[in-house]
């Protein structure tokens, strides 16, 4: 299928994930973009990037966007969606987020902003710890589960010194 969100076209294969309510997806991604506070000079990590929707929505205002997703089919969609929209400053690769962060750090350098949109179960312990150790000045946490939206930022605050500024 093909959808349009925030003026970008997204093609989605049968087993790849896309927000089904595209009107609300536009609102959600606009808020994520606002909270990211990009100026054009930032390296952005898009963790659990799916088909690239959030990262590609941020790309015009970032220096680079690096997306990681475990689903190879979703990553293939993200790469295709970048090409479809003429976005050249975004790269996507398949991998387990908690295991891929070290390699991503070597490839891309330190992130200025991390956008994370984890599964409903939230961030696994290793993924949360490894993401926090990146020491990104800003994390934008997108969630569809209030329980993990409460517990993960709490751990980021208590264990790693992050401060919740907006929700």
């Amino acid at each position: 299928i093909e959808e349009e969100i925030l003026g970008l076209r997204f093609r989605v294969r049968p087993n790849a994930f896309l927000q089904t309510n595209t009107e609300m997806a536009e609102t959600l991604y606009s808020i994520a973009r606002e909270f990211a506070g990009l100026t054009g000079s930032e390296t952005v990590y898009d963790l659990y990037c799916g088909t690239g929707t959030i990262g590609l929505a941020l790309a015009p205002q970032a220096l680079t966007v690096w997306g990681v997703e475990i689903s190879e089919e979703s990553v293939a969609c993200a790469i295709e969606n970048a090409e479809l929209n003429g976005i050249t400053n975004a790269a996507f690769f398949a991998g387990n987020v908690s295991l891929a962060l070290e390699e991503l750090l070597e490839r891309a350098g330190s992130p200025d902003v991390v956008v994370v949109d984890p599964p409903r179960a939230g961030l696994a312990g290793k993924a949360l710890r490894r993401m926090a150790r990146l020491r990104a000045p800003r994390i934008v946490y997108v969630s569809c589960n209030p329980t993990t939206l409460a517990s993960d930022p709490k751990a980021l605050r208590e264990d790693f010194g992050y401060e919740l500024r907006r929700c």
Side-chain angles (χ1 to χ4, degrees):
I1 64 170
E2 189 169 306
E3 290 285 347
E4 185 174 317
I5 301 172
L6 295 175
L8 299 171
R9 291 174 38 207
F10 294 97
R11 290 188 184 148
V12 183
R13 296 176 185 179
N15 293 317
F17 176 79
L18 178 72
Q19 295 288 341
T20 55
N21 184 335
T22 54
E23 185 175 333
M24 284 310 298
E26 285 199 344
T27 301
L28 177 65
Y29 300 163
S30 292
I31 292 169
R33 189 164 45 193
E34 176 192 342
F35 284 14
L38 302 174
T39 65
S41 62
E42 294 87 3
T43 296
V44 177
Y45 285 11
D46 181 10
L47 307 181
Y48 304 93
C49 68
T51 57
T53 50
I54 296 175
L56 293 173
L58 298 176
Q61 297 171 332
L63 178 64
T64 57
V65 173
W66 296 82
V68 180
E69 168 63 48
I70 198 162
S71 164
E72 291 182 15
E73 186 167 18
S74 291
V75 169
C77 290
I79 293 167
E80 181 179 0
N81 289 330
E83 292 171 3
L84 181 66
N85 289 286
I87 295 173
T88 58
N89 65 332
F92 300 94
F93 66 96
N96 180 308
V97 169
S98 66
L99 301 175
L101 287 179
E102 188 174 314
E103 181 183 348
L104 182 57
L105 187 59
E106 289 175 18
R107 284 178 148 183
S110 296
D112 300 296
V113 177
V114 172
V115 177
V116 60
D117 185 6
R120 282 183 174 80
L123 293 169
K126 280 185 183 179
L128 183 119
R129 287 189 302 277
R130 289 178 180 166
M131 180 189 73
R133 287 187 194 125
L134 294 171
R135 297 283 180 219
R138 202 164 31 259
I139 296 173
V140 177
Y141 190 114
V142 177
S143 177
C144 62
N145 183 342
T147 303
T148 55
L149 181 59
S151 63
D152 286 349
K154 179 180 178 186
L156 288 168
R157 182 177 49 80
E158 291 178 356
D159 300 339
F160 299 97
Y162 279 94
E163 177 185 343
L164 179 61
R165 296 216 177 156
R166 294 195 276 181
C167 184

